Every structure is written in structure tokens, then in C-alpha cells.
């Protein structure tokens, strides 16, 4: 019997779900995602800290056709954001790098709740075997970092030996990555976007609570962290933060019985039960969609969970940078276009930084988009995003449907000095 089952031995009473509209579900999501225009993050580095505390993580990505995804995600919610803010958050030890569903920046206050992730990596069969078979390499890496301080992978020389199945990485790089996965090493900073590794005890700030949470605390944190991030979610989304299905389901039932969360169904949706917190439901019971446009990163927290965004926003999104060119429908690195509370299209951009030109290679709007209301705020958003990418001009190429190209060009001209 699991610890959580022992906590709740009596059968659970079935609670009828609260029925809400799809618009209400979207309001829950956008409020949690700090995209409903009510969010006021504050200024400077503290504003960036408030944003990542709100979101729970920000995914890191290397693609640089425009500003990298993690910078883009912060900027979307904090228009005065600058990339130096994230560097300072790392220097101040207010965030750390680790794995969520992908490599991410995470609030340092959540460090203790990732103990299970680190333990899972430590128990992974291929890692244990590799560490055992390459003990001299691992100890060499440990000793150099202990003696010399934080180091890049490039600071270790390849010994020229056989490399095995680690994507042809040199052995020291494999050791660094495994020791990072298991939590012995952490990322101290990045130099030229390259990870700098150091001992965890030298990266963790003094006074940080690093105690391992028990099962009940950990799984309940995961549920609430999911709802912090998404506003409304099913159990599949909660497993991003806690993977044990049995414990998670039991904890959900307990929190429902305690009145901390409640089951929700969206009118017309027959998929798995969703959950939300009563206070969040009440706070979003009424509201009107704004007319603001956001150009979202493909890795933005709102759209990265593809089944969830398809369910709530009826938006089928796939990033196509990994798709062969001839098979792409929308473009290499399309940005979902959020208009008020609807995702209405995709914009494929490229920042020509040397020329200072932001190129809209293709903008495709869905049939549901209200073009008359959309074009002016869309043009203003394109200009804001161009300036964030250090571009002083915008070049518009393809627009679909084609009849909107001329009106959008006029809107861009009108917004240029806005």
C-alpha cells in the first residue's frame, strides 16, 4: 500500500464536476500563464524573478533565428525585459538549470522538489553502468572542478579513446552530463551559451532549504505547481512534475475531498477530467478577452504541451524546424499568434541582425481570425518584437490569405513609430 493510500483509507465520495465554458477555461489558462494583461511583474531583475516563479520553469533552447526561446518567453510577459536579467538571476542564485520536460531554468525555491528527478537519474541503468566503467574519467572530472573551480566541457581534453554511445561526446563531457543529471554538479553560468559546471554545494545559495520532501508533500506540490502554471489541467499534465500515476491520482482525490481543487468539465468536451482550484475558478468567472496580440515562442509555456493547448484552444501546433523543408506547411520556426484569448495563426520570422531587418517570411491566419480587429494590434506587436530582436525595419513577405497582405502593410506603416 502506498503512503498516500494509507493516508486516505476510506472510499472517496464522487463529486460532480463543475461545468464551465471554453472561454472560461481559456481565461484560467491565460491568467495562470501571465498572458491576460492583468499580470504586473514589476521592473528589472525582480520582475523576471516574479515571472519564473509564476510559470515554474522556462524552457531553454539553442535556436537563434530570432532571440532564443527563454529570452522570448520572459519578454512576452515583461515587455521591459532584457537578456541581462536572466544572467543576473543566475548570478544571484535565484534560478537554476535542470530538467522539467526539457532543459529549463527553474526557480531556486523549487530546488528541493526535484530530488526525485535527481534520484531517478542516479538510478538509471546506463548511467550507473557508465559511471562504473569510467570511474577514472569521473574522478578526474570531479578533482579538476574541486581544485580549479567551475569549468566548461571544452576545458577537458579528449583522451582519444573509444567513446561508446554518448552521441560521440568525449568521455569527460559524458561524465559532466551524468554528474549534472544526478545533481552532483550544477550549472554555475553560461559563457557563449556553453554550460559552466561546478560542484552543487558551491552553486546552491546559503540558507536554501534542500531537505527532501516526503511523498505527500512532493506530490501535492506537483499538483499545485501544475495549476500555478496552467490554471486548469488533467492528471497527464501533472505528471510533468510527478511521474508516479498511483500516488498522483490518490493525492488528486484527497485534494478534491479537502476542497482544495475541484473536478471541472468544459462544455462540449468529453476527455479526461480537468481540475482547477476554487479560488482560480471564482477569479476568472467573468472577463472579456483583450485585443492585444502576443507572438509566442514555439517553446512558450502556453503552447509547449501540445495536447493541452489543442484541447483548450482548438489549436493544432507543431514546430517544423525538425521537419524537412519540402514537408513544412507553415515555416521553419513559426510563432503562434495569440489574439486576446484565441490562437489565430502562425508567423514564421527571421531576424537579419546585420542588416537590422526583421523578416516576416510567412504569416498565416486561421479562418477564425477577426482580421479587421486583428491587423492593427498585430502590426504593433510585430514592431515591438522586431525591436526586441535589435531590428529597426520590418520586411513582409508572404501573407495567407493573400488579401490581407496590403492591409497588413498599411498597418505596419502606421505602427512604425508607435
Amino acid at each position: 500500500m502506498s503512503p498516500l493510500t494509507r493516508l486516505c483509507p476510506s472510499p472517496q465520495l464522487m463529486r460532480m464536476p463543475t461545468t464551465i465554458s471554453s472561454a472560461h477555461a481559456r481565461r484560467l489558462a491565460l491568467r495562470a500563464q501571465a498572458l491576460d494583461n492583468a499580470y504586473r511583474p514589476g521592473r528589472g531583475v525582480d520582475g523576471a524573478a516574479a515571472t519564473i516563479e509564476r510559470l515554474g520553469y522556462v524552457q531553454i533552447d539553442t535556436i537563434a533565428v530570432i532571440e532564443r526561446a527563454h529570452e522570448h518567453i520572459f519578454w512576452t510577459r515583461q515587455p521591459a525585459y532584457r537578456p541581462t536579467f536572466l544572467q543576473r538571476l543566475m548570478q544571484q542564485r535565484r534560478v537554476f538549470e535542470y530538467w522539467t520536460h526539457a532543459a529549463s531554468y527553474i526557480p531556486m525555491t523549487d530546488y528541493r522538489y526535484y530530488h526525485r528527478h535527481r534520484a531517478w537519474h542516479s538510478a538509471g541503468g546506463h548511467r550507473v553502468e557508465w559511471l562504473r566503467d569510467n570511474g577514472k574519467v569521473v574522478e578526474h572530472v570531479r578533482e579538476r572542478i574541486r581544485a580549479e573551480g567551475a569549468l566548461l566541457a571544452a576545458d577537458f581534453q579528449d583522451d582519444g579513446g573509444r567513446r561508446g554511445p554518448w552521441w560521440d561526446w568525449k568521455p569527460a563531457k559524458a561524465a559532466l552530463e551524468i554528474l549534472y543529471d544526478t545533481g552532483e554538479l550544477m550549472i554555475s553560468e553560461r559563457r557563449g551559451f556553453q554550460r559552466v559546471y561546478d560542484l552543487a554545494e558551491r552553486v546552491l545559495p546559503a540558507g536554501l532549504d534542500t531537505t527532501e520532501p516526503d511523498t505527500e508533500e512532493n506530490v501535492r506540490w506537483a499538483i499545485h505547481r501544475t495549476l500555478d502554471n496552467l490554471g486548469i489541467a488533467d492528471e497527464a499534465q501533472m505528471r510533468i512534475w510527478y511521474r508516479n500515476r498511483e500516488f498522483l491520482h490518490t493525492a488528486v482525490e484527497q485534494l478534491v475531498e479537502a476542497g482544495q481543487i475541484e473536478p471541472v468539465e468544459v462544455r462540449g468536451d468529453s476527455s479526461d477530467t480537468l481540475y482547477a482550484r476554487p479560488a482560480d475558478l471564482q477569479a476568472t468567472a467573468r472577463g472579456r478577452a483583450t485585443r492585444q496580440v502576443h507572438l509566442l515562442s514555439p517553446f512558450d509555456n502556453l503552447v509547449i504541451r501540445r495536447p493541452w493547448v489543442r484541447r483548450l484552444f482548438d489549436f493544432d501546433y507543431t514546430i517544423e524546424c525538425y521537419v524537412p523543408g519540402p514537408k513544412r506547411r507553415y515555416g521553419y520556426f513559426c510563432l503562434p499568434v495569440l489574439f486576446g484569448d484565441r490562437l489565430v495563426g502562425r508567423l514564421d520570422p527571421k531576424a537579419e541582425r546585420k542588416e537590422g531587418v526583421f523578416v516576416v517570411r510567412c504569416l498565416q491566419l486561421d479562418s477564425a481570425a477577426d482580421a479587421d480587429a486583428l491587423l492593427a494590434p498585430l502590426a504593433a506587436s510585430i514592431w515591438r518584437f522586431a525591436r526586441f530582436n535589435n531590428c529597426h525595419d520590418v520586411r513582409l513577405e508572404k501573407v495567407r490569405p493573400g488579401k490581407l497582405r496590403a492591409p497588413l502593410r498599411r498597418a505596419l506603416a502606421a505602427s512604425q513609430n508607435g
Side-chain angles (χ1 to χ4, degrees):
M1 184 181 292
S2 76
L4 288 169
T5 303
R6 289 196 294 271
L7 288 172
C8 192
S10 60
Q12 298 293 310
L13 296 175
M14 294 296 293
R15 180 171 295 195
M16 293 298 294
T18 299
T19 301
I20 64 174
S21 67
S22 58
H24 191 176
R26 293 194 298 272
R27 287 196 296 272
L28 279 161
L30 294 174
R31 178 175 181 266
Q33 284 285 310
L35 290 170
D36 64 350
N37 288 345
Y39 180 60
R40 300 291 182 268
R43 300 176 63 83
V45 177
D46 288 343
T51 296
I52 197 167
E53 288 282 355
R54 176 78 163 258
L55 297 178
Y57 71 94
V58 169
Q59 183 173 338
I60 304 169
D61 194 72
T62 60
I63 296 173
V65 65
I66 54 174
E67 277 285 356
R68 287 190 170 101
H70 40 283
E71 312 288 7
H72 184 174
I73 293 167
F74 276 104
W75 175 83
T76 298
R77 292 152 178 88
Q78 185 187 10
Y81 173 84
R82 296 292 179 269
T84 54
F85 295 176
L86 184 51
Q87 297 170 22
R88 289 171 64 188
L89 286 176
M90 285 290 287
Q91 293 165 357
Q92 295 170 7
R93 303 305 188 226
R94 298 168 76 176
V95 299
F96 70 102
E97 285 193 35
Y98 200 59
W99 301 105
T100 53
H101 67 282
S104 301
Y105 292 108
I106 302 168
M108 188 65 78
T109 50
D110 283 355
Y111 175 83
R112 62 191 294 260
Y113 295 104
Y114 285 82
H115 176 86
R116 286 179 61 86
H117 294 65
R118 294 187 290 271
W120 180 83
H121 282 294
S122 297
H126 67 281
R127 293 176 179 84
V128 173
E129 293 173 6
W130 197 94
L131 290 170
R132 183 190 62 229
D133 295 343
N134 295 271
K136 290 183 178 179
V137 174
V138 173
E139 192 55 34
H140 172 69
V141 166
R142 285 192 184 112
E143 287 303 316
R144 281 200 59 188
I145 292 177
R146 189 175 292 118
E148 300 174 38
L151 294 174
L152 296 153
D155 293 321
F156 294 86
Q157 294 297 318
D158 186 1
D159 63 6
R162 194 175 75 84
R163 294 183 178 179
W166 282 90
W167 298 284
D168 205 33
W169 286 346
K170 56 190 176 185
K173 173 64 175 177
L176 288 167
E177 287 297 305
I178 293 176
L179 294 175
Y180 163 70
D181 289 348
T182 59
E184 186 173 336
L185 300 180
M186 293 181 70
I187 307 306
S188 174
E189 60 176 312
R190 284 191 180 240
R191 297 177 194 158
F193 208 62
Q194 299 300 307
R195 287 171 165 175
V196 182
Y197 301 81
D198 202 353
L199 301 176
E201 59 262 32
R202 295 202 295 235
V203 175
L204 294 171
L208 180 70
D209 183 1
T210 60
T211 58
E212 178 186 352
D214 63 24
T215 298
E216 180 181 5
E217 183 184 6
N218 210 151
V219 70
R220 292 188 177 191
W221 168 84
I223 293 167
H224 283 293
R225 180 44 100 183
T226 303
L227 295 177
D228 289 341
N229 182 242
L230 299 181
I232 180 170
D234 59 20
E235 290 184 23
Q237 302 307 322
M238 297 173 185
R239 288 197 292 273
I240 294 292
W241 277 285
Y242 196 89
R243 294 170 180 163
N244 186 299
R245 292 171 183 253
E246 178 190 359
F247 287 7
L248 183 66
H249 180 70
T250 300
V252 165
E253 290 186 331
Q254 291 176 354
L255 291 176
V256 169
E257 187 177 41
Q260 294 187 36
I261 64 175
E262 60 182 277
V264 176
E265 66 177 13
V266 177
R267 200 170 291 119
D269 181 283
S270 59
S271 301
D272 293 343
T273 301
L274 294 158
Y275 298 91
R277 290 179 291 215
D280 296 338
L281 285 165
Q282 184 176 0
T284 55
R286 292 180 177 84
R288 179 181 296 179
T290 71
R291 292 296 188 178
Q292 184 168 344
V293 171
H294 291 292
L295 304 176
L296 302 178
S297 167
F299 302 102
D300 193 278
N301 296 50
L302 183 71
V303 297
I304 194 61
R305 303 179 188 216
R306 311 304 191 208
W308 180 83
V309 77
R310 187 182 307 118
R311 182 177 182 183
L312 264 66
F313 289 83
D314 191 26
F315 188 72
D316 192 6
Y317 177 72
T318 302
I319 187 171
E320 296 184 330
C321 56
Y322 309 114
V323 176
K327 295 184 178 182
R328 292 178 191 144
R329 294 181 60 196
Y330 302 108
Y332 176 76
F333 198 67
C334 282
L335 313 182
V337 178
L338 177 67
F339 178 39
D341 68 345
R342 302 302 298 262
L343 289 160
V344 298
R346 299 159 177 82
L347 185 151
D348 186 32
K350 182 174 175 57
E352 300 282 5
R353 295 177 178 89
K354 289 184 179 179
E355 295 79 14
V357 178
F358 184 80
V359 183
V360 179
R361 296 193 288 196
C362 183
L363 169 68
Q364 179 148 328
L365 298 176
D366 297 340
S367 58
D370 181 355
D372 290 340
L374 170 63
L375 292 186
L378 174 60
S381 183
I382 290 171
W383 273 110
R384 286 195 301 270
F385 193 57
R387 295 180 183 113
F388 177 60
N389 281 272
N390 296 314
C391 294
H392 53 74
D393 198 7
V394 172
R395 185 168 74 237
L396 183 63
E397 294 183 348
K398 295 180 183 178
V399 177
R400 299 171 182 156
K403 65 182 180 180
L404 297 179
R405 188 172 189 274
L408 181 55
R409 285 178 64 87
R410 290 193 293 269
L412 285 167
S415 297
Q416 183 168 4
N417 298 317

